[in-house]
Amino acid sequence: MTQLPTWAWVAAVAAGAAGALLRTLLVRSLARHVFPIGVLLANTLASAIGGAVIGLRPVLGPGWVLVLIGGLCGGLSTLSTLAVDTVELRLEGRRRVALRNVVVTVVLGVAAAWGAHALIS
């Protein structure tokens, strides 16, 4: 395991806070009508950033990979909110929407990461 400099750990914490704030703003600004779109957008954006960072890893180095993926993407994306939204949809009797929420989020997330990586590489 590569030892990372202190600045990378501090910056990762700050980036995580910024990502969490951005996620909160997305979720709160995009009302949950048919679908929890704010969480979907946050997770997809984090996946795209992560895919791009993986493509840029040789240029960025391990410190910036930690800051951007571990910090920013970690704060921006959220499995727990996806899970809670899905359970709430199911409890509301919206079984198909709950299933669609999981499938669409995973498919878009992987496609965004793959696509961003392909664009960068």
Side-chain angles (χ1 to χ4, degrees):
M1 182 175 189
T2 304
Q3 187 160 356
L4 296 170
T6 303
W7 72 262
W9 293 103
V10 172
V13 170
L21 178 60
L22 178 57
R23 173 179 31 89
T24 300
L25 293 172
L26 278 171
V27 170
R28 288 183 180 226
S29 65
L30 298 169
R32 185 182 145 218
H33 295 291
V34 176
F35 214 74
I37 192 76
V39 175
L40 175 65
L41 288 175
N43 287 333
T44 303
L45 179 59
S47 298
I49 292 168
V53 170
I54 293 301
L56 294 170
R57 186 181 359 213
V59 176
L60 294 173
W64 281 106
V65 171
L66 172 67
V67 171
L68 295 171
I69 292 180
L72 181 64
C73 293
L76 179 58
S77 64
T78 172
L79 177 61
S80 60
T81 306
L82 168 65
V84 168
D85 283 344
T86 302
V87 169
E88 286 180 335
L89 288 166
R90 178 62 180 99
L91 291 173
E92 293 167 2
R94 300 167 68 193
R95 188 176 58 202
R96 287 184 179 171
V97 176
L99 179 60
R100 192 175 315 130
N101 186 43
V102 173
V103 171
V104 168
T105 299
V106 171
V107 168
L108 282 180
V110 172
W114 195 271
H117 180 269
L119 285 173
I120 295 299
S121 298

